[in-house]
Amino acid sequence: MKLKSLYFWQCLLVPAVICPAAESEAVKSEKSAVNVVLIVADDCTFRDLGCYGGQAYTPNIDRLATEGMRFERCFQAAPMCSPTRNCLYTGQYPVKTGAYPNHTRVDAGVKTIAGYLPELGYKVALSGKSHVGPDDAYNWERLPNAANPNFARVDEYLAARKADASSFCLILCSNEPHTPWDKGDPSRYKPADIKLPPYYVDTPETRKGMSRYLAEITFLDGQVGKALDLLEKHNMVDNTLVIFLSEQGNSLPFAKWTCYDNGLQSAMIARWPGKIAPGSVNRAMVEYVDVLPTIIEVAGGKPDAAIDGRSLMPVFAGRQEHKHFVFGEMTSRGIYDGPEYYGSRSVRSKQFKYIWNFTPEVPAKNTCSEKSPEFKSWERLALAGDLKAKALVARYRFRPETELYDVVNDPLEMNNLTGDEKYASVKAQLREQLDLWMRHCNDKGQETEMSALEHMGHTNK
């Protein structure tokens, strides 16, 4: 079968059968003006949030989960800030729009949330971190603040929207828990008491870093609480869809800048009174590209054919299936302290993850490996002969051309199955799906990697 479009292909994989209840909810949504508040964190590993079983104290995010739906399998297409955000706001995969390296911009003519929603009568505003471009593609209202939401201006904005009775999409982008980890109260997280995952080397620097990082997640949680409180203040809870996303993982090893689940999987929580069942949990595989078509449908529109994502309305209604495969790409060329090139692509089913590293002969490098005190402490211990440190440092810097993980039985991706002939057919099937996706995106692999610098610059911070 010749691939005509990824949307068509995904629909073939998951039949677009919507139960009557879900179809009814979709029809109802088109007849009512629903506001949207999108809250985006920055470099937060989903596993660390309280409602995802993590150590961070997150009462407001947890509360949002009890009032809405917590997604257990949400993924973005790139494990770093700028391509992730451009992907979220365009509903298209990064290479397809040109926004695939970091500090990037979409190609001329690519339409974004700032273009789609005003056509449906919505005002669109952003407060906090932007990191997208160019300006003409993101002609939204800015509620100024350097990196975090300005809640005094958000308060004024909500009051104005209530006064003029206009529908809105408000995007609140935190800069937390992105490094430097200098916000929040780390005394809540005593380094000696912190539980470290098996893919970390236990050093004082790692424990101190985790303490500061967890404190900053709690600071982020306070921002989420302020946003929810302002919706209550202005009596906007009942007619507002709230979506919280944790973005890619933290900047410690094996998360951000990698195609492991800690880099590509995100927390996602959605609250919509009367439409989403409180306290519900959904295991459907969804992607960031699905958020924009969902918002467009909520606003009463029809997603454009250029959009790669599929509306989550049936999932909001309780359906536990959405996609069979989700995809990821990492372009190291152009990142801070990165190599001249080191590209990776991935595809994930419900049970298996396949990663293709284009140039395994090149060491993986980034700010984490080159400058962070945590990773430097790992390297010192490795040089001193510690076997676990040596193994983890080598695993982070030198990766094989292909990696295969059983993410059900090995969720932390510790056991690479790529050399086991028992999984040869699984590898072949996943590689076929990855090749189809790359062709859809016009992703030419190493050639695309080497063109990364042509797509950088002209972004708003």
Side-chain angles (χ1 to χ4, degrees), residues 125-345:
L126 179 140
S127 187
K129 181 174 180 176
S130 172
H131 213 178
V132 294
D135 287 342
D136 58 359
Y138 291 98
N139 187 28
W140 46 32
E141 182 178 349
R142 292 298 303 267
L143 309 182
N145 223 31
N148 280 300
N150 183 331
F151 286 102
R153 291 293 304 275
V154 170
D155 191 4
E156 295 171 359
Y157 182 83
L158 295 178
R161 299 292 72 77
K162 188 173 183 179
D164 64 18
S166 56
S167 301
F168 64 85
C169 175
L170 175 61
I171 305 168
L172 303 176
C173 292
S174 175
N175 194 210
E176 320 311 334
H178 193 292
T179 54
W181 297 317
D182 55 5
K183 297 180 180 64
D185 178 13
S187 68
R188 173 184 284 275
Y189 304 99
K190 293 180 173 56
D193 296 337
I194 289 173
K195 296 177 182 178
L196 297 178
Y199 49 85
Y200 284 176
V201 180
D202 192 346
T203 67
E205 290 84 357
T206 304
R207 289 184 171 277
K208 290 176 183 176
M210 278 293 289
S211 173
R212 297 194 306 274
Y213 159 68
L214 293 171
E216 199 146 299
I217 294 180
T218 299
F219 183 89
L220 157 72
D221 182 79
Q223 295 176 321
V224 174
K226 289 178 182 177
L228 300 179
D229 289 346
L230 286 175
L231 289 175
E232 291 183 3
K233 174 183 176 180
H234 294 283
N235 196 27
M236 292 178 167
V237 172
D238 289 343
N239 69 327
T240 300
L241 167 63
V242 177
I243 299 176
F244 168 81
L245 299 166
S246 68
E247 212 199 31
Q248 70 274 337
N250 64 38
S251 54
L252 290 166
F254 303 109
K256 184 180 182 181
W257 302 301
T258 78
C259 285
Y260 303 119
D261 274 5
N262 282 335
L264 291 174
Q265 190 166 350
S266 172
M268 179 177 178
I269 300 169
R271 184 186 76 180
W272 189 2
K275 300 294 192 298
I276 293 175
S280 53
V281 177
N282 200 295
R283 292 185 54 77
M285 293 213 304
V286 305
E287 298 179 286
Y288 271 35
V289 291
D290 299 327
V291 173
L292 177 59
T294 304
I295 293 174
I296 289 173
E297 186 174 344
V298 167
K302 182 179 180 181
D304 191 271
I307 291 176
D308 293 316
R310 298 171 54 213
S311 172
L312 296 171
M313 290 294 287
V315 183
F316 285 171
R319 184 176 179 178
Q320 298 282 328
E321 294 286 340
H322 191 63
K323 291 179 174 177
H324 282 175
F325 303 99
V326 294
F327 302 91
E329 74 89 19
M330 174 61 203
T331 296
S332 292
R333 185 168 169 81
I335 65 173
Y336 296 138
D337 301 303
E340 282 300 305
Y341 53 87
Y342 188 91
S344 299
R345 303 292 186 265

Side-chain angles (χ1 to χ4, degrees), residues 275-438:
K275 300 294 192 298
I276 293 175
S280 53
V281 177
N282 200 295
R283 292 185 54 77
M285 293 213 304
V286 305
E287 298 179 286
Y288 271 35
V289 291
D290 299 327
V291 173
L292 177 59
T294 304
I295 293 174
I296 289 173
E297 186 174 344
V298 167
K302 182 179 180 181
D304 191 271
I307 291 176
D308 293 316
R310 298 171 54 213
S311 172
L312 296 171
M313 290 294 287
V315 183
F316 285 171
R319 184 176 179 178
Q320 298 282 328
E321 294 286 340
H322 191 63
K323 291 179 174 177
H324 282 175
F325 303 99
V326 294
F327 302 91
E329 74 89 19
M330 174 61 203
T331 296
S332 292
R333 185 168 169 81
I335 65 173
Y336 296 138
D337 301 303
E340 282 300 305
Y341 53 87
Y342 188 91
S344 299
R345 303 292 186 265
S346 69
V347 55
R348 187 194 194 277
S349 67
K350 290 180 181 178
Q351 183 164 3
F352 293 100
K353 158 77 72 61
Y354 174 85
I355 302 173
W356 178 20
N357 300 308
F358 296 155
T359 55
E361 70 277 6
V362 178
K365 294 171 54 181
N366 50 53
T367 299
C368 163
S369 63
E370 302 308 296
K371 290 185 177 179
S372 79
E374 295 82 21
F375 193 78
K376 291 300 181 187
S377 73
W378 295 20
E379 290 184 310
R380 287 194 299 271
L381 206 56
L383 287 172
D386 184 276
L387 295 181
K388 180 177 181 180
K390 288 175 68 174
L392 287 174
V393 168
R395 182 178 178 226
Y396 191 70
R397 284 207 182 273
F398 300 99
R399 302 169 201 169
E401 181 179 1
T402 62
E403 300 175 68
L404 180 70
Y405 299 98
D406 182 339
V407 290
V408 172
N409 296 304
D410 178 24
L412 299 182
E413 295 160 292
M414 301 293 291
N415 182 25
N416 185 3
L417 302 171
T418 194
D420 191 333
E421 283 302 313
K422 182 170 63 174
Y423 298 98
S425 63
V426 172
K427 281 180 61 178
Q429 291 166 5
L430 291 176
R431 180 56 180 265
E432 180 183 14
Q433 298 299 331
L434 181 59
D435 288 345
L436 287 171
W437 179 68
M438 290 177 66

